Amino acid sequence: MGSLSTLEKLGILADAAKYDASCASSGTAKKNSLGGKGIGSTEGMGICHAYAPDGRCISLLKILLTNHCIFDCHYCINRKSSNVRRARFTPQEVADLTISFYRRNYIEGLFLSSGIIRSSNFTMEQMVECARILREDMDFRGYIHLKTIPEADPELVHQAGLLADRVSINVELPTDSGLTRLAPDKDARQIEGAMGNVKSDIVEMKDAKKRFKHAPRFAPAGQSTQMIVGADSASDADIVGKASRLYDGFKLRRVYYSAFSPIPDASAVLPLKRPPLIREHRLYQSDWLMRFYGYQAREVMQATDQDGNLPLDIDPKLAWALKFRDQFPLDVNRAPREMLLRVPGLGVTAVKRILAARRHKKLRLEDVGRVTVSISKVRPFIVAADWRPTHLTDRADLRSLLAPKQEQLELFAS
Amino acid sequence: MNAVRREYEAIKASDAYYTVSMLEPDDFAFWRGKARQLVQCGIPPDKVSWTEPGSSGDLFAGAGTQLPVPPAEAAPIRGSKRFLALARNAVLHSDPQRFALLYALLWRLQSNPRIMEDKTDPQVRQAEELDKNVRRDSHKMHAFVRFRRVERDDGSEHYVAWFEPDHHIVRANAGFFKRRFANMQWSILTPKGCIHWDGKTMRESPPAERGDAPGSDPVEALWRKYYASIFNPARLKVGAMMSEMPKKYWKNMPEAELIPDLIAGAQARESRMVDAGALDFGNRPDTLAGVNAAIQQCRQCPIGCNATQAVMGEGEASSCHDVTAKLMIIGEQPGDQEDVAGRPFVGPAGQVLDKYLAQAGIDRTRVYCTNAVKHFKFRPRGKQRIHQTPTAKEIDTCRWWLESERAIVKPRVILALGASAARGVLGKTVSVSQVRGQSMPLDDGSELWVTVHPSYLLRLEGGVKSEQERLFAADLTEVKRRLDALVRNG
């Protein structure tokens, strides 16, 4: 393997990393390189430096240190029994690559993950070393996200948090039984134990930072995790429930959902289908409802169909509103913020604008139209100064009136 | 005091018209100074025009009119915090009307200090739109500037980028790049002016051209490799990419040249991966009854579970024995009535077909009739079920069953009604108007004829209808002639 060029290794190790959904570079502490020796800055807002034709943002250099792995997880392209080409970077090589990309303004920083070589501790040490070279030897002040290994020594995970902006540990599958079946070397309790350790480190260090100005920062952009959707039989209700427990229990910044995509040389126990992208999208929407719209997990679950899955043809907010029509219509001139947020078609920004504008005048339907994207979606659920939906809210075929046309979903079907 | 007031009443009433010439297109402080002076003198927005450097100026402006000096005791000017933050950014927009719009808002702010809160006000919305566009342009500059490394004669390295912003944002964003690349020597060249940082001081220079920036950087090969490798071909979403990274930016991004090939290759790569675990239909049934049993269970595409039942083809003696018909007629999919009856071509379109078959001298009872897609695809509207055209993917999935029928019935001639039916036979989409009236040889020795679907005739009116009816009849007559010739030649 020593004969591979940097270009070849980069190709193999980036290809191996593309199944990780996260590429976020936002929400970390502000820093810049003024007065330092190196380069880099983070100013709160994440920056997407490019978009791939899969519609995903490229913000970080997202690679594996190595794709050799002693584990045999069925859904993973890098599992022991897979026939993919293998490669390995040294920590110094990854650091050099990060800096030369950063200098040209290609990236916000590094997202480093790795297959397990020799042992979990050995692998974790190598990843921490890479972050150390960047931060200490090169005075790099950009963004670093380290995927930590739950089986590694907690002390190593702690060091990772001191160097990185964000740490993450993947729960991989929404149910414990799925994990046992598809990732036989992993243990759900160990994963959650490691997430618990990271959480208490974050809380402790944040507390210390309040009292001592020079207390070190610990993962200022928090921790996140990822679940694979569609590789096992878990329903959307299971997934939403799991996500909500993770948010509450471990104070996660984000839960990422990754539609299981067909991988080359796949294990025989997996569905080789087009990835369930719309399902993934609906899960992200339900995640937004819980994080920004004040929905409880059980309320999102109320929007699911009998089989426990969210409808694919309409978004979960509309599904909820159609099920609970007695809550509507709402008067845009009187309803409180938390109720306006439940109106399908009104986003957080639109609600903010309505609240500000209604202090000045009685809002008419056209005023609402000016602050939102599509008034036709909103109309059946609101009352305005000159508008009352009368029968519209009660119509039995309201769903088909509001559902997007089928063609849109099947844009790439042929 | 009265004299002063009279003087300003006179200004308001007069036809005096004032022109303010901006010295720089992005100089907020200058605009603020002039705007303050104008408001204090009570000059309403419709009496002022604002010109940018390089513009030909306002045709109706009284050139050279001196701005009046505001009275010493003039009231201070009110500008809410929100307005100032917005104006500071909106001034950078390339819209020549921006100065006037912001002045109009400042004017109205004096009598209604909370006007910025009224997000339904057209002028407020317009100003917010300018602000939003400028913020987006700045954000895209932070994202899409691409530096190329140049080695100087003294051995030091210099990073140079060429960028084309929509608005006058270069100077305003110098600080971002300074904080990020504090210890690097860099230049950003643009058609709206350039900025240079040498590690200690920021310098500006006049607009540059693309040729002034270096043409390549060896690290771009690595970056392109990364871009191509991190992309997941199974998740192609071109629209999402285009909305965040519009094409206008592509020419200055080294990775963008890969995009067309990545998209073209993606569909092929994905179908290879899916083919590896291709749809599993099991063994081909060798009787029509076997096909019928299997299609009732088929759930290989989303419309499988849709309708009442799958509708099997039928023909001579199909009730018990398997048939060999000389002619197979293929429609698109069962309609509302076919779905209920469980038989093909019994609805309105079927009646039209029967009429023309009889005219052409073709005995329907000796023809095998079937559909390219076995299930009725529809959208409910009230009590009605509205027909929906099957997607190419659904037709292709259902080809398995059509091929099974063809293998059993072994027709000499196949007549496909409409483009969906033709796709069911050929596996690719053809234009009916281009291929109608001619025979196309098929791999199994039979031949394909294509014409329109009879339901198409039902939708037409007037002269077009009679013309298409004539063509349809002619197509059927041609098929009949061909069948007779085949019979004669054994």
Side-chain angles (χ1 to χ4, degrees):
Chain A
M1 284 295 157
S3 61
L4 288 177
S5 68
T6 306
L7 191 73
E8 286 170 303
K9 287 198 270 188
L10 177 63
I12 294 169
L13 293 169
D15 191 87
K18 70 177 161 214
Y19 303 99
D20 250 312
S22 167
C23 202
S25 56
S26 56
T28 189
K30 285 194 180 183
K31 45 188 186 291
N32 63 54
S33 50
L34 294 173
K37 295 197 304 282
I39 52 169
S41 64
T42 49
E43 304 200 342
M45 201 177 353
I47 299 175
C48 294
H49 284 271
Y51 289 81
D54 53 17
R56 285 183 170 179
C57 143
I58 300 177
S59 181
L60 304 171
L61 169 62
K62 183 161 61 172
I63 50 171
L64 265 56
L65 198 55
T66 175
N67 64 341
H68 291 279
C69 195
I70 56 173
F71 283 8
D72 205 16
C73 308
H74 289 285
Y75 51 82
C76 181
I77 185 173
N78 305 312
R79 67 188 187 284
K80 188 168 58 181
S81 57
S82 158
N83 273 328
V84 290
R85 280 183 86 191
R86 309 279 175 171
R88 182 176 166 189
F89 271 134
T90 63
Q92 185 69 48
E93 281 176 310
V94 173
D96 289 341
L97 203 54
T98 307
I99 293 296
S100 61
F101 278 9
Y102 199 93
R103 282 181 179 281
R104 287 161 181 81
N105 202 39
Y106 299 160
I107 52 170
E108 285 295 288
L110 173 68
F111 178 176
L112 188 62
S113 178
S114 183
I116 316 279
I117 36 169
R118 280 195 235 172
S119 69
S120 300
N121 279 347
F122 176 78
T123 313
M124 196 67 225
E125 273 168 22
Q126 295 272 301
M127 291 169 70
V128 169
E129 172 63 8
C130 180
R132 191 203 60 76
I133 293 171
L134 277 170
R135 287 285 194 239
E136 292 177 5
D137 298 355
M138 296 171 158
D139 193 19
F140 175 65
R141 300 184 184 179
Y143 193 94
I144 299 180
H145 178 162
L146 291 178
K147 170 75 64 65
T148 59
I149 300 165
E151 296 80 12
D153 187 335
E155 178 50 32
L156 284 167
V157 178
H158 181 77
Q159 284 177 27
L162 290 175
L163 293 164
D165 290 277
R166 169 172 284 185
V167 291
S168 63
I169 300 168
N170 285 0
V171 298
E172 310 291 9
L173 291 157
T175 60
D176 290 358
S177 60
L179 195 71
T180 318
R181 193 167 72 89
L182 297 177
D185 302 300
K186 299 204 178 196
D187 174 19
R189 255 174 308 171
Q190 200 159 27
I191 292 173
E192 298 206 352
M195 289 170 81
N197 289 342
V198 171
K199 177 202 154 191
S200 42
D201 276 345
I202 291 175
V203 171
E204 207 171 291
M205 298 303 237
K206 212 176 241 173
D207 189 49
K209 189 86 194 157
K210 276 184 209 145
R211 285 177 290 151
F212 311 107
K213 191 161 177 259
H214 295 288
R217 287 184 193 282
F218 187 90
Q223 69 166 326
S224 64
T225 192
Q226 172 173 301
M227 266 189 268
I228 297 165
V229 176
D232 65 354
S233 58
S235 71
D236 290 348
D238 295 337
I239 295 170
V240 168
K242 175 84 176 186
S244 150
R245 281 196 298 283
L246 291 171
Y247 276 124
D248 293 347
F250 303 110
K251 299 277 176 285
L252 294 186
R253 284 285 180 92
R254 281 295 296 273
V255 174
Y256 290 94
Y257 307 96
S258 174
F260 176 71
S261 17
I263 50 173
D265 195 30
S267 161
V269 298
L270 286 167
L272 259 186
K273 286 191 222 148
R274 184 184 298 272
L277 295 185
I278 297 173
R279 183 172 177 206
E280 180 195 273
H281 181 58
R282 297 291 177 229
L283 284 167
Y284 275 116
Q285 287 178 321
S286 69
D287 201 68
W288 248 248
L289 292 185
M290 292 195 287
R291 288 164 59 215
F292 303 115
Y293 287 81
Y295 285 72
Q296 301 293 315
R298 64 179 164 73
E299 289 177 307
V300 175
M301 289 182 205
Q302 285 166 347
T304 59
D305 293 335
Q306 277 101 352
D307 60 355
N309 286 327
L310 294 165
L312 293 180
D313 59 338
I314 55 172
D315 63 81
K317 194 174 166 189
L318 178 57
W320 189 89
L322 288 172
K323 274 202 178 173
F324 295 92
R325 294 195 197 181
D326 54 323
Q327 310 269 340
F328 301 96
L330 289 167
D331 187 342
V332 287
N333 286 304
R334 308 169 70 109
R337 177 175 182 274
E338 60 272 20
M339 285 314 293
L340 283 179
L341 283 173
R342 305 216 162 197
V343 173
L346 290 185
V348 176
T349 314
V351 168
K352 202 169 134 197
R353 288 182 182 151
I354 288 174
L355 293 179
R358 76 184 186 187
R359 272 186 253 139
H360 298 273
K361 58 180 172 200
K362 271 240 176 266
L363 298 182
R364 302 157 64 85
L365 194 62
E366 68 173 335
D367 295 324
V368 180
R370 275 198 211 106
V371 302
T372 184
V373 186
S374 157
I375 191 70
S376 60
K377 194 174 180 189
V378 179
R379 215 163 42 180
F381 300 101
I382 59 165
V383 169
D386 60 342
W387 167 257
R388 188 162 280 281
T390 54
H391 302 302
L392 201 50
T393 319
D394 299 324
R395 276 180 68 158
D397 60 348
L398 186 57
R399 177 184 175 129
S400 58
L401 286 180
L402 296 175
K405 295 282 168 285
Q406 194 73 18
E407 281 73 21
Q408 288 176 342
L409 300 179
E410 291 178 345
L411 201 57
F412 298 107
S414 55
Chain B
M1 179 63 201
N2 273 343
V4 172
R5 182 167 294 155
R6 263 199 304 281
E7 189 182 329
Y8 287 99
E9 290 298 327
I11 289 178
K12 270 189 235 171
S14 78
D15 281 337
Y17 204 89
Y18 301 90
T19 299
V20 184
S21 300
M22 297 290 296
L23 302 175
E24 298 279 351
D26 60 348
D27 194 345
F28 173 72
F30 182 84
W31 174 86
R32 184 175 54 186
K34 295 294 178 196
R36 189 181 282 157
Q37 194 178 343
L38 287 162
V39 174
Q40 284 184 326
C41 295
I43 298 171
D46 58 348
K47 294 277 167 65
V48 190
S49 76
W50 301 80
T51 61
E52 275 188 83
S55 78
S56 53
D58 191 328
L59 214 54
F60 304 102
T65 312
Q66 282 282 311
L67 295 193
V69 179
E73 74 278 20
I77 297 307
R78 286 195 282 211
S80 70
K81 220 172 175 181
R82 170 71 195 133
F83 173 77
L84 288 174
L86 183 134
R88 196 180 292 275
N89 207 36
V91 148
L92 309 179
H93 202 281
S94 54
D95 182 350
Q97 297 304 316
R98 63 192 183 280
F99 304 112
L101 173 71
L102 293 171
Y103 182 63
L105 273 173
L106 182 65
W107 178 265
R108 290 172 62 200
L109 261 173
Q110 307 312 308
S111 55
N112 178 3
R114 298 179 68 185
I115 191 163
M116 298 307 289
E117 290 171 18
D118 184 2
K119 307 295 181 190
T120 61
D121 182 272
Q123 280 186 331
V124 173
R125 293 287 297 146
Q126 223 177 328
E128 295 216 316
E129 200 58 28
L130 296 184
D131 173 49
K132 196 173 103 187
N133 292 341
V134 171
R135 267 188 289 129
R136 183 176 161 92
D137 202 33
S138 297
H139 190 70
K140 293 301 178 196
M141 180 179 178
H142 298 169
F144 297 153
V145 156
R146 295 284 183 264
F147 285 113
R148 286 175 165 156
R149 182 170 168 271
V150 188
E151 204 152 319
R152 288 231 185 90
D153 293 339
D154 61 1
S156 65
E157 33 178 52
H158 187 206
Y159 288 83
V160 184
W162 167 251
F163 187 72
E164 297 171 35
D166 289 339
H167 308 293
H168 306 282
I169 56 169
V170 179
R171 196 179 285 137
N173 283 292
F176 171 84
F177 290 96
K178 182 177 89 177
R179 293 188 294 276
R180 171 154 292 200
F181 302 110
N183 299 295
M184 221 165 82
Q185 297 187 29
W186 52 264
S187 298
I188 299 176
L189 314 181
T190 87
K192 292 186 159 70
C194 308
I195 46 174
H196 312 268
W197 173 255
D198 62 1
K200 293 184 194 67
T201 51
M202 191 71 72
R203 194 166 58 78
E204 290 173 14
S205 67
E209 286 171 16
R210 170 194 282 234
D212 300 337
S216 67
D217 184 317
V219 173
E220 285 173 3
L222 283 168
W223 173 241
R224 275 194 288 263
K225 182 78 179 175
Y226 175 69
Y227 182 79
S229 308
I230 202 68
F231 155 60
N232 185 349
R235 303 179 54 109
L236 200 59
K237 268 189 187 168
V238 182
M241 170 188 68
M242 300 287 277
S243 74
E244 293 298 340
M245 196 169 78
K247 248 185 178 157
K248 65 179 177 192
Y249 294 109
W250 291 15
K251 58 181 184 293
N252 296 322
M253 298 173 73
E255 65 273 25
E257 65 191 55
L258 301 175
I259 292 172
D261 284 346
L262 288 177
I263 295 174
Q267 280 149 337
R269 276 169 72 183
E270 191 214 11
S271 57
R272 271 205 303 282
M273 282 193 275
V274 175
D275 281 346
L279 295 179
D280 185 12
F281 285 93
N283 293 327
R284 254 184 216 287
D286 48 12
T287 63
L288 290 177
V291 175
N292 193 15
I295 60 173
Q296 301 301 338
Q297 304 301 321
C298 181
R299 297 292 180 268
Q300 300 285 8
C301 75
I303 55 175
C305 53
N306 238 353
T308 318
Q309 56 188 318
V311 178
M312 183 62 188
E314 66 176 23
E316 194 176 28
S318 66
S319 52
C320 48
H321 294 289
D322 291 330
V323 293
T324 50
K326 289 190 188 63
L327 176 62
M328 178 186 261
I329 296 181
I330 305 174
E332 184 194 59
Q333 61 170 348
D336 185 60
Q337 297 189 23
E338 284 85 358
D339 175 59
V340 176
R343 295 182 53 211
F345 288 109
V346 295
Q351 285 155 21
V352 173
L353 179 65
D354 285 347
K355 181 179 124 195
Y356 283 91
L357 283 178
Q359 265 181 31
I362 298 173
D363 180 0
R364 162 130 183 215
T365 60
R366 312 209 48 184
V367 173
Y368 185 84
C369 290
T370 189
N371 283 302
V373 173
K374 305 300 179 209
H375 279 95
F376 178 32
K377 183 177 182 185
F378 63 92
R379 186 162 48 84
R381 183 192 289 159
K383 286 180 180 168
Q384 281 183 310
R385 303 192 295 175
I386 307 297
H387 164 274
Q388 296 245 277
T389 306
T391 62
K393 175 100 183 178
E394 286 153 359
I395 298 169
D396 293 348
T397 307
C398 228
R399 277 187 80 198
W400 173 266
W401 303 121
L402 188 62
E403 282 170 0
S404 304
E405 287 175 280
R406 280 173 58 194
I408 297 163
V409 178
K410 296 191 185 68
R412 303 282 295 272
V413 175
I414 297 177
L415 175 61
L417 305 175
S420 296
R423 188 182 174 101
V425 177
L426 297 169
K428 61 174 187 196
T429 301
V430 292
S431 156
V432 174
S433 59
Q434 276 170 22
V435 299
R436 74 188 300 173
Q438 58 192 7
S439 122
M440 282 181 271
L442 296 172
D443 289 342
D444 61 355
S446 62
E447 57 191 67
L448 172 70
W449 293 69
V450 180
T451 185
V452 296
H453 196 277
S455 66
Y456 171 62
L457 302 177
L458 288 171
R459 292 198 299 269
L460 296 174
E461 280 174 359
V464 189
K465 184 184 176 90
S466 50
E467 170 65 8
Q468 284 295 330
E469 284 174 341
R470 193 184 60 74
L471 286 172
F472 186 65
D475 284 343
L476 291 192
T477 312
E478 199 59 36
V479 168
K480 167 70 174 158
R481 195 173 297 155
R482 180 67 188 144
L483 278 171
D484 291 345
L486 285 170
V487 170
R488 271 199 304 279
N489 303 337

